[in-house]
Amino acid sequence: MSHSHDEDPACAAAHGDVRPEETGRRTLVAVFASPVADHLLRFGVELGFRPILLEPDPDRGLGGLPAGSVTVVREVGGHLDGTADVVVTDHHRTEIGPILRDVLSGPARWIGIMGSPRHEGPHVRALTELGVPPEEIARVHRPIGLNIGSRTPAEIAVATLAGLIADRNGRPGGFAH
């Protein structure tokens, strides 16, 4: 029996006949070299994202990513456009406020920061102290990712990317926690 998937785009995608560019190319910006960033960027490439690591500390390097596998930038600059999904992967870094302030002032499409929904994130205070208005601070999603009970860096990356794919495809995805 011969099967044809010429008429079913979902089937064509499952068979690998749809290239990432055809699904709406996005840029995935992982902020700070971390285990979660490593997984986000590795998996993100496979999911059609253009990967960028934003790591302001030159001593931190690439984390576990192989050289040449992603674009590494040290500041927000002109690297973010309207296709950028920005994920802050370490909520303990002192640079959170200035980096998020700069990201919020640009055209990034989606901005999120890892953290528990049970308490206010450190980004709120940092941004408030920098004079960022509350409506801009509210653009930063927290928690990030689908609520699948993620515990490991790889699981957090999968949950985050699943949510971004749902958003890219106009689906609700279950971001609610």
Side-chain angles (χ1 to χ4, degrees):
M1 176 192 293
S2 171
H3 294 282
S4 173
H5 54 268
D6 294 334
E7 314 239 346
D8 186 350
C11 190
H15 288 277
D17 296 335
V18 177
R19 293 187 308 273
E21 308 86 60
E22 295 172 20
T23 61
R25 188 79 168 172
R26 294 268 176 91
T27 301
L28 178 61
V29 181
V31 179
F32 304 131
S34 71
V36 171
D38 289 350
H39 290 290
L40 272 173
L41 296 171
R42 287 176 200 266
F43 299 159
V45 168
E46 295 296 322
L47 297 170
F49 289 90
R50 183 173 61 98
I52 294 178
L53 173 64
L54 171 56
E55 175 50 74
D57 183 349
D59 293 332
R60 294 199 185 233
L62 286 171
L65 295 166
S69 64
V70 301
T71 300
V72 179
V73 298
R74 301 293 177 198
E75 58 188 34
V76 174
H79 305 285
L80 305 183
D81 59 19
T83 69
D85 293 332
V86 179
V87 180
V88 178
T89 67
D90 184 340
H91 58 266
H92 297 291
R93 297 276 297 266
T94 59
E95 307 99 319
I96 285 175
I99 285 178
L100 280 174
R101 177 199 58 209
D102 294 350
V103 169
L104 285 165
S105 71
R109 196 197 68 73
W110 187 93
I111 304 163
I113 184 170
M114 288 178 28
S116 169
R118 293 184 292 277
H119 51 82
E120 183 176 83
H123 69 288
V124 174
R125 181 177 181 175
L127 289 169
T128 300
E129 289 175 357
L130 290 170
V132 177
E135 61 274 9
E136 284 296 299
I137 296 171
R139 289 180 50 213
V140 179
H141 297 271
R142 185 168 176 271
I144 58 171
L146 301 186
N147 185 4
I148 61 172
S150 304
R151 300 280 185 254
T152 68
E155 291 173 346
I156 293 166
V158 166
T160 301
L161 288 164
L164 292 173
I165 291 167
D167 182 70
R168 177 174 71 189
N169 294 331
R171 303 285 191 220
F175 269 119
H177 287 256

PDB file of all heavy atoms in Angstrom, residues 123-136:
ATOM      1  N   HIS A 123      13.830  40.343  38.692  1.00  0.00           N
ATOM      2  CA  HIS A 123      13.828  41.300  37.584  1.00  0.00           C
ATOM      3  C   HIS A 123      12.873  42.464  37.840  1.00  0.00           C
ATOM      4  O   HIS A 123      13.108  43.578  37.372  1.00  0.00           O
ATOM      5  CB  HIS A 123      13.473  40.597  36.274  1.00  0.00           C
ATOM      6  CG  HIS A 123      12.067  40.134  36.197  1.00  0.00           C
ATOM      7  ND1 HIS A 123      11.590  39.059  36.927  1.00  0.00           N
ATOM      8  CD2 HIS A 123      11.017  40.608  35.485  1.00  0.00           C
ATOM      9  CE1 HIS A 123      10.317  38.899  36.666  1.00  0.00           C
ATOM     10  NE2 HIS A 123       9.935  39.810  35.787  1.00  0.00           N
ATOM     11  N   VAL A 124      11.809  42.224  38.595  1.00  0.00           N
ATOM     12  CA  VAL A 124      10.819  43.274  38.843  1.00  0.00           C
ATOM     13  C   VAL A 124      11.472  44.423  39.614  1.00  0.00           C
ATOM     14  O   VAL A 124      11.377  45.593  39.217  1.00  0.00           O
ATOM     15  CB  VAL A 124       9.582  42.720  39.587  1.00  0.00           C
ATOM     16  CG1 VAL A 124       8.631  43.836  39.963  1.00  0.00           C
ATOM     17  CG2 VAL A 124       8.889  41.662  38.739  1.00  0.00           C
ATOM     18  N   ARG A 125      12.133  44.097  40.692  1.00  0.00           N
ATOM     19  CA  ARG A 125      12.806  45.135  41.494  1.00  0.00           C
ATOM     20  C   ARG A 125      13.916  45.805  40.692  1.00  0.00           C
ATOM     21  O   ARG A 125      14.057  47.035  40.702  1.00  0.00           O
ATOM     22  CB  ARG A 125      13.362  44.527  42.770  1.00  0.00           C
ATOM     23  CG  ARG A 125      14.045  45.541  43.645  1.00  0.00           C
ATOM     24  CD  ARG A 125      14.515  44.906  44.932  1.00  0.00           C
ATOM     25  NE  ARG A 125      15.145  45.911  45.770  1.00  0.00           N
ATOM     26  CZ  ARG A 125      15.566  45.686  46.984  1.00  0.00           C
ATOM     27  NH1 ARG A 125      15.408  44.493  47.523  1.00  0.00           N
ATOM     28  NH2 ARG A 125      16.132  46.626  47.672  1.00  0.00           N
ATOM     29  N   ALA A 126      14.724  44.990  39.995  1.00  0.00           N
ATOM     30  CA  ALA A 126      15.844  45.541  39.223  1.00  0.00           C
ATOM     31  C   ALA A 126      15.356  46.512  38.166  1.00  0.00           C
ATOM     32  O   ALA A 126      15.922  47.595  37.984  1.00  0.00           O
ATOM     33  CB  ALA A 126      16.649  44.410  38.588  1.00  0.00           C
ATOM     34  N   LEU A 127      14.284  46.152  37.466  1.00  0.00           N
ATOM     35  CA  LEU A 127      13.750  47.029  36.421  1.00  0.00           C
ATOM     36  C   LEU A 127      13.081  48.266  37.014  1.00  0.00           C
ATOM     37  O   LEU A 127      13.204  49.367  36.477  1.00  0.00           O
ATOM     38  CB  LEU A 127      12.782  46.262  35.523  1.00  0.00           C
ATOM     39  CG  LEU A 127      13.440  45.225  34.609  1.00  0.00           C
ATOM     40  CD1 LEU A 127      12.386  44.337  33.951  1.00  0.00           C
ATOM     41  CD2 LEU A 127      14.321  45.888  33.568  1.00  0.00           C
ATOM     42  N   THR A 128      12.384  48.091  38.121  1.00  0.00           N
ATOM     43  CA  THR A 128      11.747  49.227  38.798  1.00  0.00           C
ATOM     44  C   THR A 128      12.798  50.248  39.229  1.00  0.00           C
ATOM     45  O   THR A 128      12.637  51.447  39.025  1.00  0.00           O
ATOM     46  CB  THR A 128      10.930  48.748  40.017  1.00  0.00           C
ATOM     47  OG1 THR A 128       9.925  47.832  39.556  1.00  0.00           O
ATOM     48  CG2 THR A 128      10.266  49.907  40.743  1.00  0.00           C
ATOM     49  N   GLU A 129      13.905  49.754  39.795  1.00  0.00           N
ATOM     50  CA  GLU A 129      14.989  50.640  40.227  1.00  0.00           C
ATOM     51  C   GLU A 129      15.633  51.381  39.057  1.00  0.00           C
ATOM     52  O   GLU A 129      16.190  52.463  39.231  1.00  0.00           O
ATOM     53  CB  GLU A 129      16.038  49.846  41.003  1.00  0.00           C
ATOM     54  CG  GLU A 129      15.558  49.407  42.370  1.00  0.00           C
ATOM     55  CD  GLU A 129      16.541  48.506  43.102  1.00  0.00           C
ATOM     56  OE1 GLU A 129      17.602  48.153  42.532  1.00  0.00           O
ATOM     57  OE2 GLU A 129      16.232  48.131  44.251  1.00  0.00           O
ATOM     58  N   LEU A 130      15.536  50.805  37.857  1.00  0.00           N
ATOM     59  CA  LEU A 130      16.086  51.451  36.668  1.00  0.00           C
ATOM     60  C   LEU A 130      15.076  52.384  35.994  1.00  0.00           C
ATOM     61  O   LEU A 130      15.360  52.958  34.948  1.00  0.00           O
ATOM     62  CB  LEU A 130      16.560  50.392  35.668  1.00  0.00           C
ATOM     63  CG  LEU A 130      17.797  49.601  36.076  1.00  0.00           C
ATOM     64  CD1 LEU A 130      18.025  48.428  35.127  1.00  0.00           C
ATOM     65  CD2 LEU A 130      19.022  50.505  36.127  1.00  0.00           C
ATOM     66  N   GLY A 131      13.891  52.508  36.595  1.00  0.00           N
ATOM     67  CA  GLY A 131      12.881  53.411  36.062  1.00  0.00           C
ATOM     68  C   GLY A 131      12.037  52.850  34.933  1.00  0.00           C
ATOM     69  O   GLY A 131      11.357  53.601  34.231  1.00  0.00           O
ATOM     70  N   VAL A 132      12.042  51.539  34.763  1.00  0.00           N
ATOM     71  CA  VAL A 132      11.224  50.924  33.722  1.00  0.00           C
ATOM     72  C   VAL A 132       9.767  50.916  34.189  1.00  0.00           C
ATOM     73  O   VAL A 132       9.477  50.474  35.306  1.00  0.00           O
ATOM     74  CB  VAL A 132      11.713  49.489  33.406  1.00  0.00           C
ATOM     75  CG1 VAL A 132      10.819  48.810  32.381  1.00  0.00           C
ATOM     76  CG2 VAL A 132      13.169  49.519  32.927  1.00  0.00           C
ATOM     77  N   PRO A 133       8.843  51.406  33.364  1.00  0.00           N
ATOM     78  CA  PRO A 133       7.432  51.459  33.766  1.00  0.00           C
ATOM     79  C   PRO A 133       6.833  50.059  33.984  1.00  0.00           C
ATOM     80  O   PRO A 133       7.227  49.096  33.318  1.00  0.00           O
ATOM     81  CB  PRO A 133       6.737  52.152  32.590  1.00  0.00           C
ATOM     82  CG  PRO A 133       7.805  52.700  31.725  1.00  0.00           C
ATOM     83  CD  PRO A 133       9.067  51.972  32.040  1.00  0.00           C
ATOM     84  N   PRO A 134       5.875  49.951  34.903  1.00  0.00           N
ATOM     85  CA  PRO A 134       5.254  48.655  35.214  1.00  0.00           C
ATOM     86  C   PRO A 134       4.686  47.928  33.996  1.00  0.00           C
ATOM     87  O   PRO A 134       4.761  46.706  33.912  1.00  0.00           O
ATOM     88  CB  PRO A 134       4.143  49.007  36.205  1.00  0.00           C
ATOM     89  CG  PRO A 134       4.549  50.308  36.795  1.00  0.00           C
ATOM     90  CD  PRO A 134       5.347  51.028  35.741  1.00  0.00           C
ATOM     91  N   GLU A 135       4.100  48.684  33.038  1.00  0.00           N
ATOM     92  CA  GLU A 135       3.525  48.017  31.855  1.00  0.00           C
ATOM     93  C   GLU A 135       4.605  47.370  30.994  1.00  0.00           C
ATOM     94  O   GLU A 135       4.355  46.367  30.326  1.00  0.00           O
ATOM     95  CB  GLU A 135       2.652  48.973  31.037  1.00  0.00           C
ATOM     96  CG  GLU A 135       3.374  50.184  30.474  1.00  0.00           C
ATOM     97  CD  GLU A 135       3.446  51.366  31.451  1.00  0.00           C
ATOM     98  OE1 GLU A 135       3.097  51.243  32.639  1.00  0.00           O
ATOM     99  OE2 GLU A 135       3.879  52.441  30.989  1.00  0.00           O
ATOM    100  N   GLU A 136       5.816  47.922  31.014  1.00  0.00           N
ATOM    101  CA  GLU A 136       6.931  47.303  30.291  1.00  0.00           C
ATOM    102  C   GLU A 136       7.438  46.084  31.055  1.00  0.00           C
ATOM    103  O   GLU A 136       7.733  45.051  30.460  1.00  0.00           O
ATOM    104  CB  GLU A 136       8.066  48.308  30.069  1.00  0.00           C
ATOM    105  CG  GLU A 136       7.781  49.302  28.970  1.00  0.00           C
ATOM    106  CD  GLU A 136       7.652  48.625  27.615  1.00  0.00           C
ATOM    107  OE1 GLU A 136       8.619  47.994  27.143  1.00  0.00           O
ATOM    108  OE2 GLU A 136       6.549  48.722  27.032  1.00  0.00           O
TER     109      GLU A 136
END
